[in-house]
Every structure is written in C-alpha cells, then in structure tokens.
Amino acid sequence: MTPDMTALTTELVTLRDYWRYAISRFNAANLSFGHGTTTAGDDAAFLLLDTLDLPIDALDPFLDARLLPAERRLLAERIEARVTTRKPSSYLTGRAYIQGVRFLVDERVIVPRSHIGEILFREYLGPNGSSFMPDQMMVESAVDICTGSGCLAVLAAKFFPNAAVDAVDLSADALEVAKLNLREHEVEQQVSLHQGDLFQPLAGRKYDLIITNPPYVDHDAMDGFPAEFRAEPSMAFDGGVDGLDLVRTLLADAANHLNPEGGMICEIGSGREILEEEFPGLDFVWLETEESQDAVFWISAEALGVTAS
C-alpha cells in the first residue's frame, strides 16, 4: 500500500523520525545494499543526509533537527522511490562518494565503489608515501582504463599534479558522465577522455601508471544479481564466464603501455587463484583493503618484462 504522503509528512518531523521510518521500510521490502553501504540503517542515513546536502558521515548532530515541510516531502518521496524502484540510493540523489570525495552519477554509469580509491588515499596520504607505487611528484603520465564516471581519473589528477591523465571507456554514455565530473572537480585541462575498448584508443602511448577497475563479475554471479545491481549498466559488470576476460587482456597488453619504472594497479574481485594459476611467472602484489585481501593487485612494469631501452 502506498503511504499517505500528507499524513506521513505531518507525523514525521525530525531526521530521526525519517531515519527510523526508512529503516523499517527498507527492511520490510528486503532491499539489497552494496553501493557504499551494507545495512538498511547506513543506506537510509546516506539517502537522507545526501538528499539534504548534509555531510554523509555526520548523522548524530542532525538527528533531532526539525525539518521544513518541503524537506519532509522530499525525504518521504525518496524513501518511497528507494523501495518501489529498488534503484541504488546514489541514483536517487545523483551523487556517490569515494573516501569522502563527491562524484556525480546516474544510470549511465555504475555507482563508484572501487577499492582502488581507498588504496590511493592510504598510500599517498600516509606520512612515508607509498612503499610500492611511484612517487607522486614523479608521475608524469597516467591512464584510467574503464573509467566509468571518471572518479579514479579525477583522483589520479589530484594525487599526481604533474601528470597528464587519460581516461578510457567503451561507453559513450559513461564518458558523458565522466565529463561532468571533470568539470565538477576542475580537472578538464589535466584529464583527456577517450572512447574505445581498453588500450585500443591509446596506440603508442606509454604511462608511468595504469589504473583500472574493469568489469570482473562472472556470469553466474550476474544471473543472481538483486534489482539494485540490475539497475546499473550490465556492461560495467560483465567480465565473461569466470569474470577475468578483460583482466587477461589488460595483463597481455599492459607492458606495451608502461614506462620502465611504472606499474599497474587493477581491481579483479575474487579471481586471485585463477590468475596465479594462469600467470605463474608474474609477481603480483596483492593489496589489502578494509573489505578484502586479494581484490586488488599491483604489478610493476619490471615484473611485466618492461626494460629501459
């Protein structure tokens, strides 16, 4: 039954009221999460705070704030939309975050949630710099393959101020969203967008750093997707039968696009054992994140056979 919005917005007056109500609705509807949140409470908090343009990690200070009538109506509508459409909350607010950095998103792109963002912040904001990735100030060229919304390309531009950054995606629609994010973060002069399949539009170009979060979901997993994941572009997930088709191609071609002191950071999901069995001669460095120990690897240009000419 569709709730009576007038009655609802009369009875619910504080952010705490809407948070409690949203959690109840989300649990009753058996929603799925995984787009930056993992529980009904976290997803409700994100939806409410981002809708109100409040800090998404600061629920407590605002819980007992009384909301304006227009705010109540908007929150009620967003809660109802989350339940009835089962779209990820980021599609309803139009925004997603990586390590607190805001990006614009819509149904043309997957909701960004890459582990690579966490790794970049950890490696380059620590007191001693990265132990395996190149020095920030020495990177003069970088590329983000399968850029989607452009979030990792934007972060690359911020972390490597001396680098010219290329960003590639097969989807023209995704690149339109990436263009919005380049403008939003004022890196249009530093980041160039290219449409094409992996390295295909980059013939002859070499980089100090390759960043890639390619589609890596296997077909069985895609068949079991809940509605929230089916709302995203299937192209952004489809990694073939075992999820590693694009990763294999990247590994085969990366050496042709790396400078000798460079390397590639790549997110693969759960295919570590398959890759290590297929490429026993490659020295993968598996990187730990808050949620995994082997979803991302680093491989140096040297390990891929790149030598100084």
Side-chain angles (χ1 to χ4, degrees):
M1 179 182 298
T2 302
D4 181 335
M5 288 292 181
T6 300
L8 185 68
T9 56
T10 299
E11 295 173 6
L12 305 182
V13 296
T14 67
L15 189 58
R16 185 187 300 274
D17 293 337
Y18 283 89
W19 187 46
R20 195 282 309 158
Y21 172 72
I23 294 170
S24 296
R25 290 296 310 280
F26 291 2
N27 283 331
N30 196 29
L31 299 185
S32 294
F33 311 106
H35 297 85
T37 63
T38 56
T39 67
D42 287 345
D43 201 67
F46 170 81
L47 180 62
L48 301 180
L49 291 168
D50 202 43
T51 293
L52 295 174
D53 205 22
L54 294 172
I56 61 168
D57 58 352
L59 178 63
D60 287 352
F62 305 106
L63 275 173
D64 295 312
R66 292 176 62 87
L67 301 169
L68 298 171
E71 293 174 327
R72 298 180 203 174
R73 181 83 185 186
L74 181 57
L75 292 184
E77 290 173 349
R78 290 270 170 90
I79 292 168
E80 186 64 16
R82 179 69 178 90
V83 170
T84 57
T85 69
R86 299 184 75 94
K87 292 180 180 180
S89 289
S90 283
Y91 283 164
L92 301 178
T93 69
R95 299 182 293 214
Y97 298 76
I98 292 183
Q99 298 294 302
V101 181
R102 176 188 286 180
F103 297 96
L104 305 176
V105 297
D106 59 33
E107 285 89 342
R108 292 174 289 180
V109 295
I110 191 173
V111 177
R113 47 196 183 270
S114 174
H115 297 299
I116 293 175
E118 175 191 336
I119 292 168
L120 290 175
F121 273 81
R122 182 184 69 215
E123 292 299 312
Y124 288 119
L125 294 186
N128 301 316
S130 179
S131 59
F132 58 92
M133 294 183 72
D135 182 277
Q136 284 178 271
M137 306 309 292
M138 298 300 291
V139 175
E140 297 181 350
S141 57
V143 62
D144 175 20
I145 303 291
C146 303
T147 193
S149 61
C151 55
L152 293 180
V154 168
L155 291 180
K158 292 178 179 292
F159 277 113
F160 309 111
N162 297 325
V165 180
D166 287 330
V168 181
D169 205 282
L170 187 58
S171 167
D173 285 341
L175 291 174
E176 289 300 315
V177 179
K179 189 182 300 182
L180 296 176
N181 280 310
L182 300 190
R183 185 180 307 128
E184 183 79 3
H185 289 275
E186 300 181 341
V187 294
E188 299 152 287
Q189 302 305 311
Q190 190 178 355
V191 181
S192 300
L193 301 176
H194 305 267
Q195 184 181 1
D197 189 10
L198 304 179
F199 292 110
Q200 177 269 327
L202 304 173
R205 301 192 186 197
K206 294 181 181 290
Y207 300 93
D208 297 322
L209 178 64
I210 297 170
I211 298 171
T212 181
N213 182 15
Y216 56 70
V217 181
D218 64 71
H219 287 171
D220 286 344
M222 288 185 67
D223 288 343
F225 269 176
E228 285 83 352
F229 289 78
R230 292 183 183 275
E232 299 176 277
S234 60
M235 179 193 295
F237 292 110
D238 190 352
V241 173
D242 67 0
L244 294 174
D245 284 0
L246 279 77
V247 177
R248 293 183 179 94
T249 302
L250 288 163
L251 283 169
D253 207 13
N256 297 321
H257 296 278
L258 278 172
N259 291 322
E261 300 300 318
M264 178 171 72
I265 185 169
C266 177
E267 185 165 333
I268 67 158
S270 58
R272 174 176 178 173
E273 291 183 0
I274 298 173
L275 279 189
E276 290 185 331
E277 182 176 346
E278 288 191 18
F279 299 94
L282 291 186
D283 185 15
F284 295 105
V285 177
W286 296 97
L287 307 178
E288 186 173 350
T289 69
E290 289 184 2
E291 297 180 0
S292 73
Q293 293 184 326
D294 51 14
V296 182
F297 68 77
W298 166 261
I299 188 162
S300 67
E302 181 181 8
L304 289 167
V306 179
T307 58
S309 57

